[in-house]
Amino acid sequence: MAEHDDGDLIAAIRGLARANVLVVGDLMLDRYAYGRVERISPEAPVPILTVTREIAMPGGAGNVVRNLTALDAAAAFVSVVGDDQEGSDLTALIGGQPNVEPWLLVETGRATTVKTRYIAAGQHLIRADRELVMPLTDKLGERLLKIASDAMAATSVTVLSDYRKGVLAPTIARNLIASARSIGRTVIVDPKGADWSHYAEADVITPNRRELAEAVGRDLPDEAAIVGAAREVIGRFGFGAVLCTRSEDGMSLVTVDTVRHYPAEASEVYDVSGAGDTVVAVLAAGLASGLPLEIAARLSNIAGGLVVGKVGTAVARPDDLVDAVKPASGALRKVVTRQAAAEAAERWRQRGWRIGFTNGCFDLLHPGHVHLLEQARAGCDRLVVGLNADSSVRRLKGASRPVQPEAARAAVLASLASVDLVVIFEEDTPLDLLSAIRPDVLVKGADYTHDTVVGAREVESWGGRVMLAELLPGHSTTATVTRLRS
């Protein structure tokens, strides 16, 4: 596969869905509390965070699994949780992921690891961790090894995601690598700590620059130093390759015979949380789907660049990767998926920008529509337009509609300066899209009333408002915007 061939790279991305990967490692619960800071506490010189939204998701090895399922790959997952509410929450979150076969063992007396991040205006104020770091009991360790070894037979690649919480104790890691090698399975290790002897004979190890420096006991100021350190650990521990992530400097892939440096792909860095998990997941999916190591590493570098441009512990999806390899040109870059729009809205929200939303069929765009959109954009900092898909328009307006297909309607809307993003939705109402975007301002024409605006109640429930824009004389918008309520 020629590295510069975009068509081959896109085919490789689509092929990631064929991957079947086993992940073994430390599972934790990542919590995010988002809010605003408007004053300092009278009790101590610390900011008061008024929490407006909280989310929870699987972290650690669970985030590797989450990234695999985002690629439409299949995953078997073996880990341990505590006998507590957080363990139950994680079991439900993992069980809710598509294409996952979970084996989450419960250990009495173990506290499930929880990391809570408090964030305001896109800045992390503090992170609070609750955890009990200890190795598994001998009996539970034997059970984990048996389950994981059995799962290897049905998967192509095994990922050991070590966060040093006790699941991948040295003996367990050694035995898992030995089991994988005995049946010809590829092993990727995301390491922690200075002693890597228990990862010996792994096919690929994926440290960041700091972790690699810790393993060799010296600073690594440049590419030559990184290559030297990588070859040192390859010689010492028998690794097949080292893929070292270097933050804003990209990644370096080193084997005994070759060196490849991949430049950084991120245009803007918002949050590095979980980027290493994304790199490991894409690398594993690439190798499991039959890609050469160099191409799998290149895709993982692209994916890492994508997720640091998102907020929170994010994932890279196939469409994200395709867009990064061969981005849409001109106005078509504004036409995005629902998930991409939600992630863009989150970035804007963290910057303190007001997000506006309006929706409709926009079958035959006329001056009344343009006037509405210009008013909507004037009432916010960024405007997202929800566009009824062709199937939705047919249900609402009859078999003869739409006059223009959804791709043409989306392109025309995206060409307007007042529109920042266009999202096509299949449903008859925009309620699901509204829930994903969570706009601050919901805009409709003044031929609506507050009570007939779909989503008014929902937007107001999270502190947003409804704006009824004035109409151009003789140009109603209700002919192209649905009045249906849920």
Side-chain angles (χ1 to χ4, degrees):
M1 180 183 296
E3 188 178 62
H4 64 275
D5 191 327
D6 289 347
D8 286 342
L9 277 179
I10 291 170
I13 292 165
R14 298 303 185 197
L16 297 177
R18 298 193 299 268
N20 198 334
V21 177
L22 168 64
V23 179
V24 186
D26 299 293
L27 175 60
M28 58 193 71
L29 184 63
D30 278 345
R31 286 178 171 157
Y32 293 83
Y34 295 96
R36 60 183 183 274
V37 173
E38 297 173 336
R39 59 197 178 101
I40 301 298
S41 172
E43 303 166 358
V46 295
I48 296 175
L49 177 69
T50 301
V51 176
T52 57
R53 188 166 62 96
E54 296 181 86
I55 59 174
M57 60 187 66
N63 192 42
V64 178
V65 173
R66 184 167 162 258
N67 274 273
L68 285 165
T69 62
L71 298 168
D72 299 322
F77 184 34
V78 183
S79 189
V80 176
V81 296
D83 185 15
D84 50 23
Q85 183 59 52
E86 289 75 15
S88 296
D89 292 343
L90 274 171
T91 300
L93 286 169
I94 294 294
Q97 297 287 313
N99 302 322
V100 177
E101 182 181 5
W103 295 89
L104 302 185
L105 308 180
V106 178
E107 183 174 22
T108 302
R110 174 180 289 271
T112 302
T113 298
V114 182
K115 296 182 178 181
T116 305
R117 299 167 176 89
Y118 297 90
I119 303 169
Q123 300 295 318
H124 287 240
L125 302 180
I126 191 171
R127 194 183 87 183
D129 292 1
R130 193 197 76 178
E131 60 187 7
L132 179 61
V133 178
M134 63 180 188
L136 306 181
T137 63
D138 290 343
K139 183 176 181 180
L140 191 64
E142 291 172 2
R143 187 180 175 203
L144 181 142
L145 279 170
K146 176 65 168 60
I147 292 171
S149 297
D150 289 345
M152 285 178 187
T155 53
S156 303
V157 171
T158 295
V159 172
L160 303 186
S161 180
D162 193 354
Y163 277 81
R164 299 186 75 185
K165 308 303 179 188
V167 171
L168 288 174
T171 300
I172 292 178
R174 290 191 191 97
N175 286 335
L176 287 170
I177 292 171
S179 294
R181 293 188 67 83
S182 70
I183 59 173
R185 296 298 186 262
T186 298
V187 178
I188 300 171
V189 176
D190 189 5
K192 290 292 183 294
D195 180 7
W196 290 359
S197 60
H198 48 289
Y199 307 135
E201 305 301 317
D203 294 279
V204 187
I205 195 160
T206 62
N208 59 36
R209 185 201 302 254
R210 178 186 55 77
E211 290 164 342
L212 181 57
E214 186 179 359
V216 296
R218 62 180 181 272
D219 291 337
L220 305 176
D222 52 32
E223 287 182 351
I226 289 171
V227 172
R231 286 194 164 145
E232 179 179 329
V233 296
I234 287 172
R236 189 189 308 171
F237 302 118
F239 301 138
V242 174
L243 182 63
C244 179
T245 56
R246 300 184 289 123
S247 189
E248 69 276 5
D249 294 324
M251 292 169 41
S252 295
L253 177 65
V254 182
T255 68
V256 170
D257 302 315
T258 62
V259 175
R260 300 292 296 274
H261 297 297
Y262 302 90
E265 297 281 348
S267 57
E268 292 184 281
V269 176
Y270 288 91
D271 195 337
V272 298
S273 301
D277 299 327
T278 301
V279 168
V280 170
V282 175
L283 180 71
L287 295 179
S289 63
L291 295 180
L293 176 59
E294 293 82 2
I295 301 301
R298 184 182 177 194
L299 291 182
S300 69
N301 184 51
I302 294 170
L306 288 169
V307 298
V308 298
K310 301 180 180 182
V311 177
T313 307
V315 297
R317 295 176 175 79
D319 287 344
D320 296 331
L321 292 168
V322 169
D323 288 344
V325 169
K326 193 171 184 178
S329 59
L332 292 180
R333 287 177 293 184
K334 296 181 183 179
V335 183
V336 300
T337 64
R338 179 175 308 186
Q339 185 62 42
E343 290 168 352
E346 187 62 38
R347 291 196 299 273
W348 297 336
R349 187 175 293 112
Q350 294 306 315
R351 288 186 171 187
W353 294 346
R354 292 170 301 162
I355 301 159
F357 179 91
T358 191
N359 69 283
C361 301
F362 298 100
D363 195 3
L364 294 173
L365 200 68
H366 57 66
H369 291 135
V370 175
H371 185 62
L372 170 73
L373 293 168
E374 288 176 345
Q375 288 185 83
R377 185 60 170 79
C380 63
D381 298 302
R382 292 292 184 271
L383 178 63
V384 180
V385 177
L387 178 67
N388 290 78
D390 290 348
S391 57
S392 175
V393 176
R394 281 192 291 271
R395 290 193 299 271
L396 296 171
K397 296 181 176 295
S400 63
R401 303 288 295 274
V403 176
Q404 298 288 335
E406 61 192 44
R409 292 182 285 126
V412 171
L413 285 169
S415 69
L416 299 177
S418 57
V419 175
D420 293 289
L421 290 179
V422 179
V423 185
I424 299 170
F425 64 95
E426 298 283 345
E427 301 86 357
D428 291 345
T429 76
L431 285 175
D432 288 347
L433 181 55
L434 279 168
S435 296
I437 303 298
R438 294 177 66 88
D440 304 289
V441 185
L442 174 58
V443 183
K444 296 292 186 183
D447 45 353
Y448 281 87
T449 66
H450 179 279
D451 290 341
T452 59
V453 173
V454 175
R457 181 176 62 252
E458 288 77 10
V459 170
E460 290 172 344
S461 73
W462 58 68
R465 66 184 180 89
V466 175
M467 171 183 166
L468 299 179
E470 67 177 28
L471 303 178
L472 282 180
H475 288 91
S476 170
T477 63
T478 53
T480 55
V481 183
T482 177
R483 287 176 180 251
L484 294 180
R485 292 189 64 84
S486 62

